Amino acid sequence: MARVPAHSKTGSIVSETPGYRPLYRQVYDIVVRRVAQGDWRPGEALPSEQSLARELGVSQGTMRKVLDALTAEKVLDRRQGKGTFIAQNTQERTQFRFFRLARPGGRRLTPALGTESARVRAARAIERERLELSRDARIVEILRMRLIEGTPAIREQILLPASVFPGIEKQTPLPNSLYTLYQSAFGVTIVATHEELTAALADAEDHEQLGVAAGSPILVIDRLAVGLTNRKVEWRMTRVSSSNLVYAVTLT
Amino acid sequence: MARVPAHSKTGSIVSETPGYRPLYRQVYDIVVRRVAQGDWRPGEALPSEQSLARELGVSQGTMRKVLDALTAEKVLDRRQGKGTFIAQNTQERTQFRFFRLARPGGRRLTPALGTESARVRAARAIERERLELSRDARIVEILRMRLIEGTPAIREQILLPASVFPGIEKQTPLPNSLYTLYQSAFGVTIVATHEELTAALADAEDHEQLGVAAGSPILVIDRLAVGLTNRKVEWRMTRVSSSNLVYAVTLT
DNA sequence: AAGTGGTCTAGACCACGTC
DNA sequence: ACGTGGTCTAGACCACTTC
């Protein structure tokens, strides 16, 4: 990689506006692009720090800074003595990372699957807006119910751009951990979710499917999930029969 | 700092069980201890990276690793060309960091203060347990109400170990951002909070103080805040009249 | 011009996992 | 024994702030 400060008194040839762009930032972008376009499969090992550094023409220290950053973002997984791997959204890992429901006091839970349905249809205006889809986009709508220790407790409506997950509606029954499927079958790695929580009252469908009285308190989670290239790839509405379940999160 | 690998085939003299403890980890602990015991005041500059490294007998690179880590944890604040400072829990900063209520869609809110009261009393068993207090501990109980755009919307019950915040109950009216006060007046820096959210129905007091009908949905936030030395320093129960307010959080 | 943090390099050695 | 990531060092130069 050329040692060009990108910004100097002697008007430089390369680089445009951004003023100054550290080398590790440029290397970071290169590696992210490669990961996003699937140069390596989930779980697969990248070349060693040394060889990547040589290949990209930077020092090992700079390469390390990049790989460490991607490890912090949970895109990569480094293991001393073994190598650097594409992080896998395994069931257990995704569970702990994005599934925040627990018993009061903190004990983690693993929900089981109840009924589910999936179909493809035209996207509504609000759905196109939230998922940033074009006018004639189609979406996959998944409705499912999940059990906590045998009891219906969670209702989910999941909306996906059909173009990103072609044919996913035929893959029923869907696995408990969708994010694992997104990554392994569609190359989509979820790196972050934006959630908005509110309290609501149980409606007729909650009553019917969750077995709670209409008017019971329900925790509603509105989640937008974004992939590696910052694309919005899932909109999920979750309704939780709140008695004896909490949404647990740590802020730092 | 002695270059002792702490763990080697030739039974070492220093260090006990932990097996292996990197140098930067030891330096980190030293700096945290100094910050926690108030060697520098909030907003004050630390010595430069170079001089700290010299003082502790490590290289600049190792010192940097420590200071960068503490910056990531928001304990320090580094500014190129100026120096390294003790991060201040200013109103704006704490607001965005630990106050997660917003309008649906994400617009941030700044609540105004309503009524409040504060008193000291003996800690109940459950309070002693959650705050890890001794048998005869006393706590400060603060009850307050907060307004969103002029409308009562939030009720808070705040419980503090009286020994950590001596005399805080006399400082009424308390500022909107308590964490700023904790840091400036009591040397307590909140570094993380553990929250559990549930949905509930408005009770008689919610009806009375928030002006909502009994049976309306209420978002309940149970928060435990921890300080620099991992001590639990605040237990807060927040009840939010949920209509038109959401709890917004990003998971990574 | 001087001082601070930010980037980058080259090289040494350590700890861990595998063969 | 070997290869990988993890730690640590010493030194150079860059960018930002202040004087």
Side-chain angles (χ1 to χ4, degrees):
Chain A
M1 175 136 302
R3 212 73 41 70
V4 184
H7 164 88
S8 65
K9 272 101 182 185
T10 76
S12 81
I13 302 174
V14 284
S15 142
E16 48 288 348
T17 26
Y20 170 65
R21 201 167 174 66
L23 186 50
Y24 75 84
R25 235 309 180 182
Q26 306 172 38
V27 174
Y28 176 96
D29 290 346
I30 292 173
V31 177
V32 166
R33 198 176 331 124
R34 285 204 196 168
V35 172
Q37 73 192 25
D39 278 22
W40 306 283
R41 316 176 62 82
E44 191 179 341
L46 273 64
S48 76
E49 190 174 287
Q50 280 287 7
S51 59
L52 273 174
R54 236 191 338 267
E55 176 187 342
L56 297 175
V58 300
S59 76
Q60 183 177 347
T62 299
M63 198 66 232
R64 165 173 291 272
K65 184 160 184 167
V66 171
L67 298 178
D68 281 351
L70 285 164
T71 302
E73 293 168 30
K74 299 190 172 69
V75 172
L76 299 181
D77 194 2
R78 313 197 79 187
R79 272 169 276 169
Q80 186 174 86
K82 300 195 69 173
T84 302
F85 306 83
I86 302 288
Q88 290 200 68
N89 280 350
T90 58
Q91 162 102 18
E92 325 77 57
R93 229 186 303 232
T94 306
Q95 203 81 321
F96 284 152
R97 191 169 160 205
F98 295 120
F99 184 82
R100 312 300 312 175
L101 296 174
R103 289 285 184 222
R107 196 159 54 82
R108 295 320 206 95
L109 296 168
T110 303
L113 277 183
T115 59
E116 73 177 7
S117 69
R119 68 189 181 107
V120 183
R121 58 168 171 79
R124 303 190 182 108
I126 182 134
E127 294 160 354
R128 289 201 307 267
E129 188 193 340
R130 286 218 75 187
L131 289 167
E132 294 175 357
L133 299 175
S134 62
R135 187 147 199 82
D136 58 349
R138 296 181 68 74
I139 63 163
V140 181
E141 177 180 27
I142 299 169
L143 298 173
R144 62 180 193 174
M145 212 255 302
R146 301 171 94 181
L147 317 173
I148 297 289
E149 287 167 7
T151 307
I154 304 171
R155 285 179 56 207
E156 291 177 326
Q157 178 195 32
I158 298 164
L159 302 172
L160 309 169
S163 59
V164 179
F165 301 94
I168 193 175
E169 73 279 5
K170 302 191 200 80
Q171 303 205 14
T172 52
L174 292 162
N176 201 333
S177 168
L178 282 179
Y179 291 1
T180 305
L181 178 69
Y182 294 172
Q183 189 191 47
S184 63
F186 301 95
V188 173
T189 300
I190 304 295
V191 297
T193 60
H194 303 289
E195 308 199 323
E196 293 189 354
L197 282 77
T198 48
L201 300 182
D203 58 24
E205 275 186 288
D206 296 324
H207 166 61
E208 188 182 322
Q209 299 195 26
L210 299 179
V212 295
S216 301
I218 297 279
L219 193 61
V220 178
I221 307 169
D222 180 314
R223 168 193 291 185
L224 201 58
V226 309
L228 236 194
T229 51
N230 220 34
R231 170 156 193 190
K232 295 170 179 58
V233 289
E234 182 202 65
W235 181 16
R236 184 185 293 218
M237 283 289 246
T238 305
R239 298 176 71 86
V240 182
S241 161
S242 191
S243 70
N244 216 8
L245 283 180
V246 304
Y247 177 95
V249 65
T250 296
L251 304 178
T252 57
Chain B
M1 177 135 302
R3 210 76 39 71
V4 184
H7 163 87
S8 65
K9 273 104 182 183
T10 75
S12 79
I13 302 176
V14 284
S15 144
E16 49 286 349
T17 28
Y20 170 64
R21 201 168 173 66
L23 186 50
Y24 77 83
R25 235 307 181 183
Q26 305 173 40
V27 174
Y28 176 95
D29 289 346
I30 291 173
V31 177
V32 166
R33 196 173 336 122
R34 284 204 196 168
V35 172
Q37 72 191 26
D39 277 22
W40 306 282
R41 315 176 64 83
E44 191 179 340
L46 273 62
S48 76
E49 190 173 288
Q50 280 286 7
S51 59
L52 273 174
R54 236 191 337 266
E55 177 187 342
L56 297 175
V58 300
S59 76
Q60 184 176 346
T62 300
M63 198 65 232
R64 164 174 293 273
K65 184 160 186 169
V66 170
L67 297 178
D68 282 351
L70 284 164
T71 302
E73 292 168 31
K74 298 190 173 67
V75 172
L76 299 181
D77 194 3
R78 311 197 81 186
R79 273 169 276 170
Q80 186 173 75
K82 301 193 69 174
T84 302
F85 306 82
I86 301 288
Q88 291 200 65
N89 280 351
T90 59
Q91 162 101 18
E92 325 78 57
R93 228 185 304 231
T94 306
Q95 204 80 323
F96 285 153
R97 191 169 159 204
F98 295 120
F99 185 83
R100 311 301 313 175
L101 295 175
R103 288 287 184 222
R107 195 158 54 82
R108 294 319 207 94
L109 296 167
T110 303
L113 275 183
T115 58
E116 73 176 8
S117 68
R119 69 189 180 106
V120 183
R121 58 169 171 77
R124 301 190 184 108
I126 182 133
E127 295 160 354
R128 288 201 308 268
E129 189 192 341
R130 284 218 76 186
L131 289 168
E132 293 176 356
L133 299 175
S134 62
R135 186 149 199 81
D136 58 349
R138 297 180 68 75
I139 64 163
V140 182
E141 177 179 27
I142 299 169
L143 298 172
R144 62 180 191 173
M145 213 255 304
R146 301 170 94 182
L147 317 173
I148 297 289
E149 287 166 9
T151 309
I154 303 170
R155 286 178 55 205
E156 291 177 326
Q157 177 194 33
I158 298 163
L159 302 172
L160 309 169
S163 59
V164 178
F165 300 95
I168 193 174
E169 73 280 4
K170 302 189 200 79
Q171 302 206 14
T172 50
L174 292 162
N176 201 334
S177 168
L178 282 179
Y179 291 1
T180 306
L181 178 69
Y182 293 172
Q183 189 191 47
S184 63
F186 301 96
V188 173
T189 300
I190 304 296
V191 297
T193 60
H194 304 288
E195 309 199 324
E196 294 189 353
L197 283 77
T198 49
L201 300 181
D203 58 23
E205 274 187 288
D206 295 324
H207 166 62
E208 188 182 321
Q209 299 195 27
L210 299 179
V212 295
S216 302
I218 296 279
L219 193 61
V220 178
I221 307 169
D222 181 315
R223 168 194 291 182
L224 202 57
V226 310
L228 235 193
T229 50
N230 221 33
R231 171 157 193 189
K232 296 169 179 58
V233 289
E234 183 201 66
W235 181 19
R236 183 186 293 218
M237 282 289 246
T238 305
R239 297 175 71 87
V240 182
S241 161
S242 192
S243 70
N244 216 8
L245 284 179
V246 304
Y247 177 96
V249 66
T250 295
L251 303 178
T252 58

